[in-house]
Amino acid sequence: ASDVYKRQLLAYARGGKHRVARTCLAAVVRGAARMVRHQPPVVVEHDLDPALPSVEGDPRQLLHVVLALLQNAAEAGPHRGPV
């Protein structure tokens, strides 16, 4: 999973094309949680509203935003525990 993240990050840094599409935010959050689940001390717990709406956006960029938020939360926490 981290290889996928690295490839996506490199594509973004190179100014890759953005693909705007209807994107399910719940799927983005679940995908990000799967990507970081093997990277201690990050433990992601989520309780997503089934009615969470989809948005228009680039799924990869949205994934990057969620991954950055998870990373920041993990680094900001004073203890090891769920994010």
Side-chain angles (χ1 to χ4, degrees):
S2 84
D3 289 336
V4 171
Y5 177 65
K6 288 176 190 174
R7 282 194 304 270
Q8 291 175 346
L9 189 57
L10 288 172
Y12 176 74
R14 286 190 291 257
K17 294 182 181 178
H18 305 295
R19 181 179 60 94
V20 176
R22 196 75 154 145
T23 305
C24 175
L25 289 176
V28 172
V29 172
R30 285 191 295 269
R34 279 192 304 274
M35 290 177 80
V36 299
R37 72 176 171 206
H38 299 295
Q39 298 178 14
V42 180
V43 176
V44 179
E45 293 180 1
H46 52 76
D47 182 18
L48 301 169
D49 185 340
L52 191 65
S54 294
V55 297
E56 291 287 330
D58 185 315
R60 283 188 261 172
Q61 287 185 333
L62 291 168
L63 178 63
H64 288 294
V65 168
V66 175
L67 287 169
L69 289 170
L70 290 173
Q71 184 66 37
N72 288 345
E75 290 174 0
H79 60 285
R80 295 175 187 263
V83 174

